[in-house]
Amino acid sequence: MDGESIALDASTTAFAMARHLKARGRWVHLTVITNGLRIATELAGHPGVTVAMPGGFVRWEALSVVGPLGGGLLEKVNIQKAFMGAAGYTLETGLSDATDEEAQIKRLIVEAASEVVALIDHTKWGRSAFATFCPTDRLTAVVTDESAPTDVADALRARQIVVHIAPTIDGTAEGRDGRPHETRRMGPHD
């Protein structure tokens, strides 16, 4: 990812990814575009990382910047990969969020990105939240956990969308029985 521009939305899953990017160590040059104030604070000043934020209104509930003002920045940049969390996901509705304010800025990020990677745990599958911001056919990959529904994951694979099963932050994945168990960590080429 060095030399690229990536986008992270303001979701808690994207925040965990920001921490992972920071823990990786020094970057040569990585630009992170985010509407998340926590993510911007986490990555600001990290060697080799430049943080850009779209303009807009601060939504205190999510500590995010939302609204159409962000379009000014997002229309001018090239984002290689956008990593997007969601409140819900179905094959029919795609990625959706609980508020139109949040979905509006996410739509702008998705439009500016060459690739879109969904970051959704099993609790988001099969749910349609209020506003769709990314249809399924726009996804490049989905990162989820082992409790995600296998029939939907298989349907995504049939559409040439890569599905990664990721461990939880502590290195375990919760199985279908609800109990944690060990799983292999994803490497840089997974």
Side-chain angles (χ1 to χ4, degrees):
M1 281 197 285
D2 253 323
E4 291 187 345
S5 295
I6 65 169
L8 299 175
D9 68 359
S11 66
T12 55
T13 310
F15 180 71
M17 184 176 170
R19 285 192 162 167
H20 178 75
L21 292 173
K22 189 174 176 181
R24 177 189 178 268
R26 183 174 178 78
W27 291 86
V28 174
H29 184 75
L30 176 67
T31 301
V32 177
I33 299 155
T34 184
N35 70 315
L37 296 171
R38 282 187 215 115
I39 292 170
T41 302
E42 181 72 19
L43 294 174
H46 189 72
V49 176
T50 301
V51 177
M53 292 193 75
F57 300 96
V58 175
R59 186 169 167 258
W60 69 270
E61 300 92 342
L63 285 176
S64 60
V65 178
V66 297
L69 297 174
L73 169 68
L74 295 169
E75 290 167 0
K76 295 177 181 142
V77 297
N78 297 311
I79 299 170
Q80 279 75 40
K81 291 183 182 109
F83 296 89
M84 309 299 290
Y89 175 74
T90 68
L91 286 171
E92 300 75 28
T93 60
L95 298 174
S96 56
D97 211 299
T99 70
D100 190 52
E101 295 171 315
E102 204 72 48
Q104 190 174 35
I105 193 78
K106 289 182 176 192
R107 276 186 215 108
L108 293 170
I109 293 169
V110 166
E111 287 172 19
S114 297
E115 297 180 40
V116 180
V117 179
L119 305 174
I120 48 174
D121 67 45
H122 71 277
T123 65
K124 309 304 190 312
W125 294 73
R127 296 179 48 194
S128 288
F130 179 69
T132 295
F133 63 88
C134 181
T136 296
D137 65 359
R138 187 67 178 86
L139 294 174
T140 307
V142 174
V143 178
T144 190
D145 59 78
E146 289 186 356
S147 293
T150 54
D151 60 330
V152 182
D154 290 342
L156 288 170
R157 289 181 184 107
R159 294 179 184 204
Q160 306 304 310
I161 298 170
V162 177
V163 177
H164 294 287
I165 306 299
T168 59
I169 298 206
D170 65 0
T172 64
E174 189 176 281
R176 296 196 188 284
D177 60 1
R179 295 186 351 200
H181 65 274
E182 288 299 315
T183 187
R184 82 177 174 82
R185 289 203 174 270
M186 288 177 47
H189 302 292
D190 287 343

